[in-house]
């Protein structure tokens, strides 16, 4: 027997023996076990999904440690000389966060102002093994870094015995990212929307002999969205009621499954086109408020960078870099400039996604330039088509 192999078996034997005694721990029922992506093929986001740099002047720094809201209020009361018992009567009691479902759209409604909920949502991502790559309190958006869900790895006997030693050779070939969006509700509370995006590693043959791997956009996962929504709602309720009894694993799994289950619903949107067949708008057979939620979730799932939004005026200001538009801009730069500055990025143009209320039960969506006038890049019809596919 080869000396190297024999030595490897001798070293692996005690690991295997110890691992066999804890197979129940390895074959866990956890649905998420995130690790930040850093060791495999570079995760290069396609131009149309790439986030552009944004100003950090609205960024809210993370809290250095988790502090229960109830404990914090009691501490502040003690420092001010107020009666802690009276303060506890003012704090929310019981369930302050509820999950709401509207067709296949789901979100969390919290009976607290966004300013109170924001730091709790910040802390939440660390509890599920994720870190934030972007947070902008001015528009109420948080976005996580891309990460691998190790819970999706095969839970077989080989990994059970040797997984802790050679775990680095295992990979799911998938990366996940989440976006949380907080909006102030009409009642003064907060609505929290969570969306999931994925990237999938695929093999690409370039020269016929050498294979390489690249990352391509994958589908969003309703079950992972439901998992995060459920966990966050539980986290918010526990923040204000630490003595609340947590749901069992079986109860939690059942709630997530029911929340993620697809419901067959009537299509309420239609892509409208002009006489030339080019998309001009999206007609939604719903009132303004419902249409706003539907369009906002579609924008989140598409990964557009939202730079501003105003529900009262009915617009989202987003950036989007279309591949054809990018190549066209590079062609206009000239041959020599492309040779020496190919890595210079093309700026992603701004677009205004505008919702027009037609009646109490009808809304129309337009894509305009950042000045509110007609789009001049020629990309608006494509954005409308992409939005229509998500809204449907």
């Amino acid at each position: 027997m080869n000396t190297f192999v024999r030595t490897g078996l001798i070293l692996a034997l005690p690991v295997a023996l110890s691992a066999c005694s804890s197979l129940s721990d390895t074959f866990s029922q956890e649905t998420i076990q995130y690790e930040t992506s850093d060791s495999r093929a570079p995760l290069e986001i396609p131009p149309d999904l790439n986030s552009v740099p944004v100003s950090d002047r609205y960024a809210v720094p993370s809290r250095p440690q988790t502090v229960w809201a109830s404990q914090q209020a009691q501490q502040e009361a003690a420092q001010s000389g107020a009666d802690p018992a009276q303060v506890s009567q003012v704090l929310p009691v019981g369930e302050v966060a509820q999950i709401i479902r509207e067709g296949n759209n789901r979100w969390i409604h919290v009976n607290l102002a966004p300013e109170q909920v924001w730091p709790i949502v910040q802390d939440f991502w660390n509890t599920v093994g994720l870190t934030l790559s972007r947070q902008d309190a001015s528009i109420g958006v948080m976005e996580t870094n891309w990460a691998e869900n190790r819970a999706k790895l095969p839970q077989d006997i080989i990994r059970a015995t040797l997984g802790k030693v050679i775990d680095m050779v295992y990979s799911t070939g998938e990366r996940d990212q989440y976006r949380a969006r907080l909006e102030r509700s009409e009642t003064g509370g907060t609505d929290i929307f969570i969306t999931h995006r994925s990237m999938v590693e695929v093999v690409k043959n370039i020269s016929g002999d050498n294979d390489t791997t690249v990352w391509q956009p994958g589908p969003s996962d309703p079950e992972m969205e439901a998992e995060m929504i459920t966990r966050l709602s539980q986290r918010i309720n526990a923040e204000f009621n630490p003595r609340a009894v947590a749901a069992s694993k079986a109860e939690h799994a059942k709630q997530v499954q029911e929340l993620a289950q697809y419901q067959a619903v009537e299509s309420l949107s239609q892509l409208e086109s002009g006489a030339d067949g080019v998309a001009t708008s999206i007609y939604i057979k719903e009132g303004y408020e419902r249409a706003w939620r539907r369009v906002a979730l579609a924008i989140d799932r598409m990964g557009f960078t939202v730079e501003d939004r105003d529900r009262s005026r009915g617009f989202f200001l987003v950036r989007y870099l279309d591949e054809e538009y990018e190549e066209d801009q590079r062609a206009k730069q000239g041959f020599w400039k492309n040779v020496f500055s190919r890595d210079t990025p093309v700026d992603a143009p701004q677009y205004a996604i505008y919702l027009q209320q037609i009646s109490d039960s009808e809304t129309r969506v337009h894509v305009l330039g950042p000045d509110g006038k007609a789009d001049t890049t020629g990309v608006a019809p494509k954005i409308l088509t992409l939005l229509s596919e998500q809204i449907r």
Side-chain angles (χ1 to χ4, degrees):
M1 181 182 288
N2 184 283
T3 303
F4 175 79
V5 175
R6 184 167 58 247
T7 303
L9 289 174
I10 293 173
L11 292 173
L13 182 59
V15 177
L17 292 174
S18 62
C20 287
S21 63
S22 59
L23 288 180
S24 60
D25 294 334
T26 304
F27 297 127
S28 65
Q29 299 301 314
E30 285 295 322
T31 55
I32 56 174
Q33 184 184 344
Y34 280 111
E35 289 185 10
T36 301
S37 170
D38 59 3
S39 59
R40 292 178 63 81
L43 201 158
E44 297 180 359
I45 310 301
D48 57 336
L49 292 179
N50 194 19
S51 295
V52 296
V54 295
S55 171
D56 61 356
R57 64 193 176 111
Y58 296 114
V60 179
S62 299
R63 292 189 287 182
Q65 60 182 357
T66 300
V67 180
W68 295 108
S70 54
Q71 295 173 345
Q72 186 175 10
Q74 297 292 342
Q75 292 172 2
E76 292 174 354
Q79 293 174 357
S80 63
D83 184 0
Q86 293 180 352
V87 174
S88 63
Q89 294 174 4
V90 179
L91 287 172
V93 177
E95 192 176 55
V96 298
Q98 293 182 325
I99 298 175
I100 298 177
R101 178 162 190 166
E102 188 178 86
N104 291 304
N105 293 329
R106 318 163 280 272
W107 67 93
I108 305 170
H109 177 72
V110 186
N111 296 326
L112 298 168
E115 293 80 8
Q116 294 173 276
V117 181
W118 179 270
I120 303 174
V121 181
Q122 277 183 313
D123 288 338
F124 165 74
W125 298 111
N126 288 329
T127 68
V128 293
L130 293 167
T131 57
L132 292 173
S133 63
R134 179 193 177 205
Q135 50 183 321
D136 190 337
S138 68
I139 57 174
V141 171
M142 298 181 193
E143 200 165 77
T144 71
N145 285 298
W146 291 94
E148 180 181 31
N149 185 5
R150 307 290 287 181
K152 289 187 177 181
L153 290 173
Q155 302 291 329
D156 53 27
I157 189 66
I158 297 176
R159 183 167 181 255
T161 52
L162 299 178
K164 295 183 181 299
V165 177
I166 58 172
D167 205 42
M168 67 178 63
V169 305
Y170 285 87
S171 175
T172 63
E174 299 177 10
R175 297 294 184 269
D176 298 327
Q177 185 185 63
Y178 296 89
R179 176 182 291 183
R181 178 169 46 83
L182 285 69
E183 286 196 6
R184 193 182 304 274
S185 67
E186 293 180 343
T187 59
T190 305
D191 291 329
I192 307 174
F193 303 84
I194 294 181
T195 49
H196 166 267
R197 297 167 62 207
S198 71
M199 297 290 287
V200 181
E201 190 178 19
V202 297
V203 177
K204 186 176 183 180
N205 189 296
I206 297 179
S207 62
D209 297 323
N210 299 322
D211 291 337
T212 185
T213 58
V214 295
W215 292 95
Q216 295 183 352
S220 61
D221 189 336
E223 186 170 351
M224 297 312 297
E225 289 184 2
E227 179 73 36
M228 290 301 179
I229 288 173
T230 302
R231 291 195 181 207
L232 178 56
S233 66
Q234 293 171 351
R235 172 72 175 84
I236 294 172
N237 283 323
E239 178 84 14
F240 295 96
N241 188 9
R243 295 186 180 88
V245 179
S248 66
K249 285 188 176 181
E251 292 172 337
H252 175 87
K254 181 180 179 181
Q255 183 178 2
V256 170
Q257 186 177 14
E258 291 177 351
L259 196 61
Q261 188 173 10
Y262 175 79
Q263 293 182 352
V265 295
E266 177 188 358
S267 178
L268 297 173
S269 67
Q270 178 182 350
L271 183 65
E272 299 178 317
S273 303
D276 55 0
V278 177
T280 57
S281 59
I282 302 173
Y283 170 79
I284 303 178
K285 193 177 179 180
E286 283 187 313
Y288 178 80
E289 287 299 325
R290 288 195 171 201
W292 174 270
R293 284 195 291 268
R294 191 179 292 272
V295 172
L297 283 168
I299 291 172
D300 289 341
R301 291 196 177 100
M302 291 166 66
F304 287 175
T305 298
V306 180
E307 296 195 327
D308 197 5
R309 60 181 168 87
D310 190 329
R311 188 168 59 184
S312 63
R313 296 168 60 191
F315 77 87
F316 297 85
L317 187 63
V318 305
R319 283 192 182 270
Y320 173 76
L321 183 57
D322 178 65
E323 289 187 35
E324 293 183 7
Y325 172 84
E326 181 185 24
E327 289 302 318
D328 182 59
Q329 292 302 302
R330 290 193 185 282
K332 292 178 180 179
Q333 292 175 356
F335 174 77
W336 290 110
K337 188 170 184 180
N338 282 324
V339 169
F340 294 105
S341 59
R342 182 68 184 176
D343 294 335
T344 303
V346 174
D347 292 335
Q350 285 184 325
Y351 300 92
I353 299 176
Y354 173 66
L355 278 71
Q356 175 191 11
Q357 182 174 355
I358 304 173
S359 68
D360 291 342
S361 58
E362 296 174 297
T363 308
R364 184 167 277 116
V365 181
H366 305 271
V367 176
L368 309 171
D371 56 359
K373 299 179 181 179
D375 167 49
T376 59
T377 67
V379 180
K382 184 170 184 178
I383 296 176
L384 284 167
T385 303
L386 294 172
L387 277 173
S388 178
E389 292 172 355
Q390 288 289 337
I391 292 173
R392 191 167 48 221

